[in-house]
Amino acid sequence: MSIIELLASPAAWAALLTLIMMEVVLGIDNLVFVAILSNKLPEADRARTRRIGIGLALIMRLLLLTTISWIVGMTAPVIDLGLTGGIDAHGSPSFETAFSIRDLILIAGGLFLLYKATTEIHHSVDPAESDSPLDKTNSQKSLGFASAIAQILVLDLVFSIDSILTAVGMTDELPIMIVAVVVAVGVMLLAADPLSNFIAKNPTVVMLALGFLLMIGLVLIADGFGVHVPKGYVYTAMAFSAGVEILNIWSRKARERRGGNGAAH
């Protein structure tokens, strides 16, 4: 279908809007990781790291779109351990061990997220100085700009493959995919600084965000094993938890204002 035909097609516009929404939602995972990691850098490097990290995500997604046939081929099994779970309510195995390249990448990315989130949670609870790149007490000495970009790049690859496979599953039109990806990454770029600043100013939100990363890591691993957790459940849980935490923040600020007013009198 030509560009003019796409512009005149209501179905194409509907597909574009739907895909943009899906890509924005899928980008939340990527954005949370970038926000947490960039906040471990010296303040002068944070915004630059976020821009470069998200820019790399855009480049990676566009490059993957140029190799759609190869990306689709990544879903073909390359390793089969011969193990499958019982049949679920939909008539599919509850899990399987016929791994494709995509599955292996998702599992590796999930393990990476679990390691990073668990390490940071450990040092948040036990803040003794160590050599961990995510240790708050030692982050500026051990986590450099290049290290942060390298780690963001690893997760960009994982989330980009998931994003592009979602786009391929929703439309066959490459221009629609490209526009949706560019708009979604643009939204990520606009949201990166406000989200990172919000997390930096509210320390309790850090633990919540790390909990999100743990959940995302587990979902990626489960997906790699053929256990498909509906993304709607995951994002609903994240939205509910974030809403409760926002109420807690408002409550704390209200108590602080009342305490300040009481002290003034």
Side-chain angles (χ1 to χ4, degrees):
M1 189 179 293
S2 68
I3 297 296
I4 295 177
E5 290 175 327
L6 285 174
L7 291 174
S9 171
W13 283 100
L16 175 62
L17 293 176
T18 303
L19 188 53
I20 288 174
M21 292 174 59
M22 288 293 297
E23 293 294 326
V24 168
V25 171
L26 289 173
I28 292 173
D29 307 345
N30 210 161
L31 195 57
V32 170
F33 182 80
V34 171
I36 290 179
L37 196 63
S38 64
N39 281 348
K40 301 302 170 188
L41 292 168
E43 188 170 354
D45 293 332
R46 294 176 184 176
R48 180 166 61 114
T49 300
R50 290 191 286 268
R51 288 193 295 270
I52 292 176
I54 295 173
L56 289 172
L58 174 60
I59 293 171
M60 195 168 294
R61 282 162 167 79
L62 293 178
L63 288 175
L64 290 173
L65 281 174
T66 65
T67 58
I68 287 179
S69 59
W70 178 71
I71 292 294
V72 172
M74 292 176 66
T75 59
V78 294
I79 299 175
D80 191 350
L81 302 181
L83 301 175
T84 57
I87 302 301
D88 61 20
H90 302 288
S92 303
S94 55
F95 74 90
E96 56 188 0
T97 56
F99 300 115
S100 64
I101 295 177
R102 170 187 176 271
D103 295 332
L104 296 175
I105 291 175
L106 290 181
I107 292 171
L111 291 173
F112 180 77
L113 276 181
L114 289 182
Y115 166 74
K116 288 299 181 185
T118 303
T119 302
E120 175 60 11
I121 289 173
H122 170 72
H123 292 293
S124 295
V125 181
D126 181 17
E129 185 170 327
S130 75
D131 293 328
S132 169
L134 284 182
D135 188 351
K136 293 177 181 177
T137 61
N138 202 32
S139 61
Q140 293 188 12
K141 290 188 290 184
S142 58
L143 180 62
F145 174 77
S147 175
I149 292 298
Q151 293 178 51
I152 290 172
L153 191 59
V154 170
L155 264 295
D156 278 348
L157 174 62
V158 176
F159 292 128
S160 292
I161 289 174
D162 199 24
S163 170
I164 296 308
L165 285 173
T166 298
V168 171
M170 293 187 64
T171 180
D172 296 325
E173 301 294 341
L174 183 59
I176 291 177
M177 297 182 203
I178 292 175
V179 172
V181 165
V182 171
V183 171
V185 174
V187 172
M188 289 172 58
L189 194 59
L190 291 174
D193 286 348
L195 176 63
S196 299
N197 293 336
F198 179 75
I199 290 175
K201 292 177 182 177
N202 298 278
T204 58
V205 177
V206 174
M207 191 63 73
L208 179 64
L210 291 169
F212 290 165
L213 292 183
L214 282 176
M215 181 168 60
I216 293 164
L218 288 172
V219 169
L220 289 176
I221 294 172
D223 200 356
F225 278 90
V227 181
H228 301 294
V229 181
K231 293 292 179 66
Y233 295 165
V234 176
Y235 293 121
T236 298
M238 290 172 65
F240 178 80
S241 301
V244 172
E245 183 59 27
I246 289 172
L247 290 176
N248 282 329
I249 291 171
W250 286 346
S251 176
R252 284 195 297 271
K253 289 183 177 180
R255 287 196 300 270
E256 290 171 1
R257 285 196 298 269
R258 287 197 297 269
N261 291 336
H265 290 298

